[in-house]
Amino acid sequence: MYCEETTVNELKSFYRKYPTIKFAKGEVIFQQNEVPAHVYAIKSGVVKVSNLSADGVDQLISFEIIDDIVPICWAFSKTTKALFYYQAYTDCEFYIMSKEVFEAHMANNVGFANAMLSRQVSSYVGNMLQVDALEKTRAYTKLLYTFRYLCLRYGRDIRRDLVKIYVPLTQQEIANTTGLTRETTTLELKKLREQKILSVRRKYYTVDTSKLNAQIDDEYDPGIDVSMLTKVV
Amino acid sequence: MYCEETTVNELKSFYRKYPTIKFAKGEVIFQQNEVPAHVYAIKSGVVKVSNLSADGVDQLISFEIIDDIVPICWAFSKTTKALFYYQAYTDCEFYIMSKEVFEAHMANNVGFANAMLSRQVSSYVGNMLQVDALEKTRAYTKLLYTFRYLCLRYGRDIRRDLVKIYVPLTQQEIANTTGLTRETTTLELKKLREQKILSVRRKYYTVDTSKLNAQIDDEYDPGIDVSMLTKVV
């Protein structure tokens, strides 16, 4: 019941009844503090979630991808406004529906509720791995853990032990995600590429997960299920 | 439908049919990499989730509290083993059930699935705020954001603008959660206490959220719904 196919179908078959809206790369989707008018379900593209400080710095929190709901905190009535700042990281298209319709469908359709739950658990587990990465003190280790988390949350197997991350990343974005300086990030990424743990083509990273795991010294060999890997079309 | 009362009742009315098991403070609940035999739903107490490295250091990832499911990643078939190390942070009691029973109940009971979904979104949003805190560079700011996140995820209003965090925390644990040194943590916590933002009694912190928010310089005034605050008995 938790296989990724079922999840995707349950969500898609509901969403596709609704009209769509497009945002070009860089456009603001929701301002921080805005009271959204609608729930958006991502049809395609990547949404960047960040926290704006008064001096205009935006701190990257997360990326949301296909089938994710934005803004999640408002759609699930955890907050009355958008908790973060939502921007189109790539060109995006969303299914658009009222919050009432979204809630009613969840309340009445057990398949949809379970599919949504499965997505949310993936996001939560992905986030736990991000916390794990952020708490590392050595730059090199932090990057190893960051790429593991990116593989799990945004990656797809393209070959055995080879995962492509479907979110384009500049070195500056990787620096922002990890809290490292741009200079340190550049230096450490170079080491990872030299060891053939990473390769990059037009901002899309591919990770040799077998080489990556060999370098990680924790107890953990989680036997990640393929359903953990987010499918991106 | 998403009010906290409904959520708690939906979960409790299912869990309480099952036998319970107790763990004393400090006992290991699941080893990292272990294939669990059962799903545990927390009846009381706090569970510490951490990542063990080969040299035995444990890195605090999260706390799980009343009504949370452990280990979440395995219970929802995201991994085939426990992804992290689970330890009783206080004396704990769990409802114990088979994974099959847990899955079948979710698949067949829309109220339960929605209650579980609401919990997971809270955990996810809480985690996004933790990531936000971890990415801050100044120690003082990092602690302000950490306490906001702890209030949202583990706190309960005891008076207007006064939230008690229901997870006991030593200064060492706060240092671990934030990635700061013990010395810096002690120094910065003293500042927060002097400004009456925090008070602490037997490791339980109380936060003046109005004073806390006044110090946070971001754009964000999320109008957190009371349902975001986890109820702890």
Side-chain angles (χ1 to χ4, degrees):
Chain A
M1 121 199 202
Y2 278 105
C3 86
E4 191 70 17
E5 275 323 304
T6 320
T7 302
V8 169
N9 293 342
E10 277 291 349
L11 299 176
K12 276 257 177 312
S13 68
F14 170 62
Y15 296 151
R16 69 177 161 227
K17 286 177 276 185
Y18 293 93
T20 64
I21 184 170
K22 289 184 181 180
F23 287 83
K25 179 179 171 176
E27 277 190 278
V28 177
I29 303 161
F30 299 106
Q31 294 285 358
Q32 199 156 345
N33 263 341
E34 179 180 337
V35 179
H38 295 94
V39 171
Y40 288 177
I42 304 177
K43 184 181 178 190
S44 65
V46 177
V47 174
K48 180 179 163 184
V49 184
S50 51
N51 187 15
L52 280 193
S53 62
D55 55 8
V57 177
D58 72 300
Q59 182 105 46
L60 174 65
I61 305 285
S62 171
F63 295 108
E64 304 289 349
I65 56 174
I66 185 166
D67 290 331
D68 283 333
I69 293 292
V70 290
I72 188 84
C73 39
W74 173 80
F76 284 86
S77 303
K78 302 301 175 189
T79 57
T80 55
K81 302 171 183 175
L83 191 53
F84 299 108
Y85 174 72
Y86 289 81
Q87 197 180 14
Y89 188 68
T90 63
D91 289 348
C92 289
E93 187 170 7
F94 304 98
Y95 297 104
I96 178 171
M97 68 206 80
S98 76
K99 192 175 158 193
E100 291 67 35
V101 160
F102 176 69
E103 282 181 339
H105 193 67
M106 270 193 303
N108 297 312
N109 187 315
V110 73
F112 184 77
N114 273 278
M116 192 55 72
L117 180 54
S118 178
R119 281 297 285 184
Q120 282 311 306
V121 173
S122 285
S123 296
Y124 177 52
V125 174
N127 237 341
M128 288 170 97
L129 292 168
Q130 187 181 6
V131 165
D132 192 27
L134 280 166
E135 289 180 349
K136 300 294 172 203
T137 45
R138 282 186 56 221
Y140 181 81
T141 315
K142 203 185 270 256
L143 280 174
L144 286 175
Y145 277 83
T146 298
F147 275 96
R148 176 158 65 178
Y149 137 70
L150 291 169
C151 284
L152 287 172
R153 184 132 178 228
Y154 308 116
R156 188 165 55 161
D157 278 318
I158 54 176
R159 253 215 337 262
R160 191 180 155 79
D161 296 333
L162 213 58
V163 173
K164 180 173 173 184
I165 297 165
Y166 282 80
V167 171
L169 291 163
T170 63
Q171 296 201 349
Q172 187 60 58
E173 289 295 345
I174 296 169
N176 292 352
T177 321
T178 51
L180 298 172
T181 63
R182 171 65 195 275
E183 294 68 27
T184 307
T185 306
T186 304
L187 197 75
E188 300 293 333
L189 283 175
K190 190 159 170 285
K191 287 189 205 164
L192 291 170
R193 283 202 310 276
E194 282 167 1
Q195 291 175 80
K196 312 267 188 236
I197 295 173
L198 296 183
S199 65
V200 59
R201 196 183 150 86
R202 295 185 177 174
K203 299 198 273 186
Y204 286 93
Y205 282 83
T206 301
V207 181
D208 184 321
T209 51
S210 148
K211 288 206 174 86
L212 178 83
N213 284 326
Q215 296 251 338
I216 285 179
D217 77 337
D218 64 25
E219 290 296 321
Y220 126 170
D221 162 26
I224 294 287
D225 193 273
V226 69
S227 72
M228 178 80 197
L229 296 172
T230 308
K231 296 238 169 66
V232 182
V233 218
Chain B
M1 124 199 201
Y2 279 103
C3 85
E4 191 70 17
E5 275 323 304
T6 321
T7 303
V8 169
N9 293 342
E10 277 291 349
L11 300 176
K12 277 258 177 312
S13 68
F14 170 63
Y15 296 151
R16 69 176 161 228
K17 286 178 274 185
Y18 294 92
T20 64
I21 185 171
K22 290 183 181 180
F23 285 83
K25 180 180 170 175
E27 276 191 279
V28 177
I29 302 162
F30 298 107
Q31 295 284 358
Q32 200 156 346
N33 263 340
E34 180 179 338
V35 179
H38 295 94
V39 170
Y40 289 177
I42 305 179
K43 184 182 179 190
S44 66
V46 177
V47 173
K48 180 178 164 183
V49 184
S50 51
N51 187 14
L52 281 193
S53 62
D55 53 11
V57 177
D58 72 299
Q59 182 104 49
L60 174 64
I61 304 287
S62 170
F63 295 107
E64 304 289 349
I65 57 174
I66 184 165
D67 290 331
D68 283 332
I69 293 292
V70 291
I72 189 83
C73 39
W74 172 79
F76 283 85
S77 303
K78 300 302 173 186
T79 57
T80 54
K81 302 172 184 175
L83 191 53
F84 298 108
Y85 174 72
Y86 289 80
Q87 197 179 14
Y89 188 68
T90 62
D91 289 349
C92 288
E93 188 168 7
F94 304 98
Y95 297 104
I96 178 171
M97 67 205 79
S98 76
K99 192 175 159 195
E100 290 68 33
V101 160
F102 175 70
E103 282 181 340
H105 193 67
M106 271 193 304
N108 297 312
N109 186 315
V110 75
F112 184 77
N114 272 280
M116 191 55 73
L117 179 54
S118 179
R119 282 297 287 184
Q120 282 311 304
V121 173
S122 286
S123 297
Y124 178 51
V125 174
N127 237 343
M128 288 169 99
L129 292 168
Q130 185 182 8
V131 165
D132 192 26
L134 279 166
E135 289 179 350
K136 300 295 170 201
T137 44
R138 282 185 55 222
Y140 181 80
T141 316
K142 203 185 269 254
L143 280 175
L144 285 175
Y145 277 84
T146 298
F147 275 95
R148 176 158 67 178
Y149 138 70
L150 291 169
C151 284
L152 287 171
R153 186 136 177 225
Y154 307 116
R156 187 166 56 162
D157 278 317
I158 52 173
R159 259 217 327 267
R160 190 178 156 78
D161 297 334
L162 213 59
V163 173
K164 181 173 172 183
I165 297 165
Y166 282 81
V167 172
L169 291 164
T170 63
Q171 297 201 348
Q172 186 60 58
E173 289 295 346
I174 296 169
N176 292 353
T177 322
T178 51
L180 298 171
T181 63
R182 170 66 194 273
E183 294 68 27
T184 306
T185 305
T186 303
L187 197 74
E188 300 294 333
L189 283 176
K190 191 159 168 284
K191 288 189 205 163
L192 291 170
R193 282 202 311 275
E194 282 167 0
Q195 292 176 79
K196 313 271 188 229
I197 295 173
L198 295 183
S199 65
V200 58
R201 196 184 148 85
R202 292 187 179 174
K203 299 199 272 184
Y204 286 93
Y205 282 82
T206 302
V207 181
D208 183 320
T209 50
S210 150
K211 290 207 174 84
L212 177 85
N213 285 327
Q215 296 250 339
I216 285 179
D217 79 335
D218 63 25
E219 289 295 321
Y220 129 167
D221 162 28
I224 294 288
D225 193 272
V226 67
S227 72
M228 178 80 198
L229 296 172
T230 308
K231 295 239 170 65
V232 182
V233 219

